[in-house]
Amino acid sequence: MAFSLDFFRDEIRTGFYIPTALKQAWAAELDILALIDSICTRHNINYFAEWGTMLGAIRHGGIIPWDDDIDIGMMRSDYIKFRKVCDAHLPDGYVIHDYERKEDHWLFLSRIVSCEHINFDEKYLNEHYNFPWLASVDIFVTDYVYEDPEREKVRRDEIMRLLAFSESIIDNKIDDYSLNEGLKAFEDKYHKPFTSIKDRRSICIELYRTCEELMSLLTSDDSGKVGQIFPWILKGVPPTDASNYSSFVRLPFEHTTIPVPCNYVNTMSYRFGQFLNINKSQGGHGYPFFEEQKKDFEALYGEKLFNFSFKKSMIDTPRTPKISHAPGENENVLFLPIGPKEWNYFKKCFDMECARENVNIFIIPLPLLKKDLLGQINMSDDEIMNATHSELYPEDLPIISWLEFDPNQYYMDRIYIQSPYDDTGTYLTLPPSFYAKTLQQCTDQLIYVPLGPIDDFEKEYEKEYYNLNHYIKVPAAVYSDTIIACSKKIRQVFIDKLTEFAGDKSASYWENKVITYPDTTAFDSSCDNENKSILYCIGLNELSEKSDVLIDAVSKRLDTISEYADTIDISVCLYPNDLSLWNSANANLTADLTDILSKHDGIAFIAPAGGHADPDFYMHPLCEEVDDCAKRFDAYYGSPTPYAMAFTLQHKPVMIADYNI
């Protein structure tokens, strides 16, 4: 799958810092997802986003910022078809993990994995974004469940007995006599030759096969209820209506799309309740998933990987000012942004410098460069030239080309930097003359402004605190003279992390070095409109969930809000805005809906795209677009979409439409 280099940038979504290292993992997983999608498309197999991946598609328009894996689901019949054809289509090196093929994988799900082992082969790394660790996509299976709870309990108890017996074998907690007696009982019950199997692992595999046979007993003719039997039905979680999985629609997901159940709001409400509420602590494994692989590898080979090591000499050498200005002489200040969006995080510092007297300000947009694991730049000259995106910066900025400026030839009073990595990044770097270690020798004050604003968190917040490794335990923080935090709480966690990094005796050093500016909000979310403005958004789920009332309900709402057109500016949009996704779900209902929207007086209908075959249409994360949209309006009304999340995060009113009223 083709990714733009910008996909791998550090960025902040929903107040959460996502470093390049996580983006590399996402890219590797999205490649697997694309492979699964191609197999399913070729063989007419339905699959759908599951769990956090479905939540991410609906609520964020992509991967949940604090998530690090991709989960999909299939109905049992589709899963069986997929398993029959999957092996023939997997590229060399890709493997399937399940209880039959993988040791200690005692789960009723399959996992498509990018490689058989951790891989540092140069060709492999070049094809997998310098990501040597095992990436995967989990496939969960949904089965039909008895509508009679008592009948389901009988099946549930039967499966639990088989699993408990298997567990005693796996954990080596059963003697040979008890094992043989138990197998005889199962042999009589299921008419299988369990006692003739001599290898204990093979016995467990056959017991698990028997469990799957029990799970797959029912079909759509037998029940209108479905669920994931392992583990949720076994734990007593009630099933859901099979109608929620009768058809699927595609929603934007990062720079592609992913199928979700057509009744996806109903499905999410069943799974998570108030699913628009944020809970960053959710997750079923250590974060990030590849960190455990990295630790095991380092322990095996006795070598640290991708680590920036602290040395006391980095902060021991005294810094003395080298510039002495005569009265009235101008100071020189240099800003080194790494992208047009990232420039916004410099805005507060830039405004402060502009307010000073006798200051010359220079801005040099820097290109982020792709490198291999050995540090060699992997880009053509044209790609490097295009990587600065200078044309996207505000036109009135005093911009200079990085090719025309040698920091070693100029001594600056202050230099503001954003890139944390120097040469220590796992995939991206800068031109070496702009490394923090080099710039330190070219200025009296090197000021590191990490991307922000991020949400306040404390040391106990596992995921946020881990990600500090990627933007605080880094050259920019160590070599700078000042680090600017976006709040008092963030200042303290910066100090805590740096003190852990450099040792307890360094605490006072970081206390002096890390500061906050008052009101460091990077974006002004206020609207300039004289009238209040409302965005009314209709989500794709409404075609299925409210098909019988949708047109009439939308028409009545438009009539009502039109009465206030003189005092309130109303704009209406569809999510997703690619009309081909709507037509695939229900072309007739979509035509009726767009017709009444486009003809209604006094309301601005944001026309959807007519269908985009060009994959570049989705190259920029949807969260950027919805965040920008939320800044332009005062309030949100409509379906649960990523727009609703963006308005909520900007503390603007959000009203979810109920089309049954």
Side-chain angles (χ1 to χ4, degrees):
M1 182 179 290
F3 292 91
S4 71
L5 189 61
D6 289 339
F7 174 83
F8 295 96
R9 290 174 176 271
D10 288 21
E11 70 170 309
I12 293 170
R13 300 187 189 179
T14 323
F16 187 88
Y17 195 107
I18 310 167
T20 296
L22 264 293
K23 295 290 193 70
Q24 291 169 267
W26 286 7
E29 293 169 333
L30 287 165
D31 277 349
I32 300 172
L33 179 66
L35 173 63
I36 293 171
D37 186 86
S38 68
I39 295 171
C40 290
T41 300
R42 182 171 181 174
H43 292 278
N44 196 29
I45 296 170
N46 286 320
Y47 78 95
F48 48 90
E50 260 294 12
W51 298 109
T53 301
M54 192 194 308
L55 183 57
I58 296 165
R59 193 174 69 186
H60 300 271
I63 299 173
I64 295 175
W66 44 92
D67 203 358
D68 62 340
D69 60 3
I70 293 178
D71 298 326
I72 64 171
M74 295 180 185
M75 296 299 295
R76 175 70 65 178
S77 57
D78 286 304
Y79 178 73
I80 292 171
K81 287 168 62 178
F82 179 81
R83 289 306 307 270
K84 286 180 179 178
V85 301
C86 182
D87 282 318
H89 297 288
L90 288 181
D92 289 344
Y94 283 75
V95 294
I96 301 174
H97 288 173
D98 61 18
Y99 65 80
E100 291 183 324
R101 304 189 188 199
K102 177 68 175 174
E103 291 282 347
D104 299 323
H105 184 97
W106 297 112
L107 299 167
F108 291 97
L109 61 84
S110 287
R111 183 170 288 150
I112 310 300
V113 187
S114 58
C115 195
E116 295 181 12
H117 52 77
I118 295 169
N119 196 333
F120 282 88
D121 177 75
E122 182 179 357
K123 182 176 183 295
Y124 179 87
L125 291 174
N126 287 338
E127 293 174 351
H128 292 81
Y129 325 107
N130 289 356
F131 191 75
W133 317 115
L134 302 185
S136 62
V137 170
D138 287 348
I139 305 175
F140 293 84
V141 185
T142 296
D143 285 294
Y144 285 91
V145 177
Y146 285 108
E147 295 185 25
D148 180 356
E150 290 303 315
R151 294 190 70 184
E152 188 55 50
K153 184 179 183 305
V154 171
R155 176 167 66 168
R156 187 170 70 226
D157 291 345
E158 198 171 342
I159 293 171
M160 291 294 285
R161 278 192 293 271
L162 286 164
L163 292 178
F165 194 75
S166 300
E167 187 174 342
S168 68
I169 301 172
I170 293 166
D171 294 340
N172 203 28
K173 292 182 178 180
I174 187 171
D175 57 63
D176 289 342
Y177 176 78
S178 301
L179 173 63
N180 195 55
E181 290 300 303
L183 292 177
K184 284 181 181 178
F186 288 134
E187 201 166 66
D188 292 340
K189 184 174 182 62
Y190 300 111
H191 308 293
K192 290 186 172 186
F194 287 107
T195 54
S196 64
I197 305 173
K198 302 305 179 185
D199 173 65
R200 287 196 169 206
R201 170 169 164 73
S202 298
I203 292 171
C204 290
I205 289 174
E206 193 55 48
L207 290 169
Y208 265 62
R209 285 197 191 112
T210 305
C211 288
E212 282 198 311
E213 290 167 4
L214 291 171
M215 293 176 187
S216 60
L217 281 176
L218 304 185
T219 68
S220 58
D221 294 332
D222 305 309
S223 174
K225 298 289 184 180
V226 297
Q228 287 177 15
I229 295 179
F230 180 90
W232 305 112
I233 300 298
L234 296 181
K235 290 183 176 183
V237 175
T240 188
D241 289 339
S243 60
N244 288 333
Y245 295 86
S246 60
S247 61
F248 305 94
V249 296
R250 298 189 79 102
L251 290 181
F253 191 73
E254 296 304 324
H255 64 303
T256 183
T257 62
I258 194 169
V260 297
C262 56
N263 296 347
Y264 57 80
V265 169
N266 288 344
T267 304
M268 280 293 94
S269 299
Y270 160 74
R271 290 283 182 84
F272 296 104
Q274 297 296 322
F275 64 88
L276 290 180
N277 295 342
I278 295 292
N279 182 357
K280 295 182 182 178
S281 63
Q282 286 180 336
H285 55 74
Y287 176 90
F289 71 86
F290 55 83
E291 187 64 24
E292 199 62 38
Q293 297 180 45
K294 181 171 177 283
K295 288 178 180 177
D296 290 344
F297 186 90
E298 290 175 342
L300 181 63
Y301 289 95
E303 183 177 344
K304 291 287 186 181
L305 297 174
F306 316 131
N307 280 18
F308 172 60
S309 300
F310 176 80
K311 296 182 179 63
K312 195 167 182 292
S313 60
M314 294 175 178
I315 62 174
D316 272 355
T317 305
R319 298 289 303 283
T320 56
K322 296 184 180 181
I323 295 181
S324 179
H325 289 288
E329 185 180 357
N330 285 358
E331 294 182 317
N332 293 319
V333 177
L334 174 62
F335 286 87
L336 297 173
I338 56 174
K341 181 181 179 183
E342 289 83 352
W343 168 252
N344 289 304
Y345 304 131
F346 268 158
K347 188 69 166 57
K348 181 69 177 180
C349 301
F350 177 71
D351 289 344
M352 282 181 27
E353 292 290 356
C354 288
R356 299 178 191 265
E357 294 183 356
N358 303 320
V359 173
N360 297 323
I361 297 178
F362 306 91
I363 299 172
I364 301 179
L366 296 180
L368 284 181
L369 307 177
K370 181 176 64 173
K371 66 171 192 173
D372 62 25
L373 216 58
L374 298 177
Q376 301 300 310
I377 302 302
N378 266 346
M379 297 174 69
S380 68
D381 290 344
D382 286 343
E383 288 174 327
I384 293 173
M385 290 299 295
N386 292 331
T388 58
H389 302 301
S390 297
E391 72 284 357
L392 300 179
Y393 285 79
E395 292 182 0
D396 57 345
L397 295 181
I399 285 178
I400 301 172
S401 168
W402 67 275
L403 292 170
E404 300 172 4
F405 189 94
D406 182 357
N408 294 299
Q409 301 299 315
Y410 300 89
Y411 201 85
M412 293 285 164
D413 292 88
R414 290 176 294 283
I415 299 178
Y416 291 85
I417 60 174
Q418 289 182 315
S419 176
Y421 299 114
D422 282 8
D423 58 346
T424 65
T426 53
Y427 195 57
L428 301 179
T429 188
L430 296 175
S433 57
F434 293 95
Y435 287 169
K437 185 177 181 179
T438 301
L439 295 172
Q440 185 193 46
Q441 308 306 315
C442 307
T443 182
D444 282 351
Q445 277 286 310
L446 185 62
I447 303 167
Y448 175 41
V449 185
L451 302 188
I454 54 175
D455 289 344
D456 280 346
F457 65 91
E458 297 172 349
K459 190 174 179 180
E460 292 70 28
Y461 287 53
E462 175 190 352
K463 296 178 180 180
E464 290 92 333
Y465 199 68
Y466 169 84
N467 283 345
L468 287 177
N469 295 337
H470 295 281
Y471 65 102
I472 288 300
K473 286 175 53 176
V474 289
V478 173
Y479 290 119
S480 63
D481 300 292
T482 302
I483 302 169
I484 298 180
C486 60
S487 72
K488 291 180 179 179
K489 271 194 173 182
I490 297 304
R491 174 181 180 270
Q492 189 56 54
V493 293
F494 281 6
I495 292 168
D496 290 344
K497 194 72 169 184
L498 286 164
T499 302
E500 285 181 9
F501 185 41
D504 292 341
K505 293 182 179 179
S506 67
S508 61
Y509 175 83
W510 304 116
E511 287 276 356
N512 293 325
K513 185 168 178 173
V514 184
I515 67 170
T516 60
Y517 281 161
D519 185 24
T520 54
T521 301
F523 296 106
D524 179 7
S525 60
S526 62
C527 298
D528 297 328
N529 303 331
E530 184 175 334
N531 289 348
K532 290 296 182 183
S533 57
I534 295 178
L535 178 66
Y536 174 22
C537 180
I538 303 169
L540 183 55
N541 63 295
E542 311 293 4
L543 290 186
S544 175
E545 295 175 3
K546 300 294 186 292
S547 59
D548 54 339
V549 300
L550 180 62
I551 299 301
D552 185 53
V554 169
S555 183
K556 288 179 179 178
R557 280 159 174 75
L558 293 175
D559 288 340
T560 300
I561 59 182
S562 291
E563 298 174 8
Y564 302 93
D566 292 339
T567 56
I568 300 177
D569 295 330
I570 307 291
S571 295
V572 184
C573 71
L574 302 180
Y575 183 84
N577 73 338
D578 185 345
L579 204 58
S580 67
L581 301 178
W582 286 74
N583 286 328
S584 295
N586 189 324
N588 291 333
L589 194 55
T590 297
D592 292 342
L593 181 61
T594 55
D595 185 57
I596 64 167
L597 291 175
S598 60
K599 292 180 179 178
H600 221 284
D601 294 334
I603 295 175
F605 175 40
I606 303 173
H612 292 267
D614 183 356
D616 286 344
F617 175 69
Y618 289 114
M619 284 307 285
H620 296 291
L622 263 292
C623 67
E624 292 182 10
E625 297 177 12
V626 298
D627 283 349
D628 290 342
C629 185
K631 296 182 187 75
R632 298 198 297 271
F633 294 90
D634 294 299
Y636 176 89
Y637 175 74
S639 308
T641 69
Y643 292 108
M645 176 60 58
F647 277 77
T648 299
L649 293 170
Q650 294 184 28
H651 307 292
K652 295 182 177 181
V654 171
M655 299 159 282
I656 301 301
D658 184 350
Y659 290 107
N660 287 324
I661 297 175

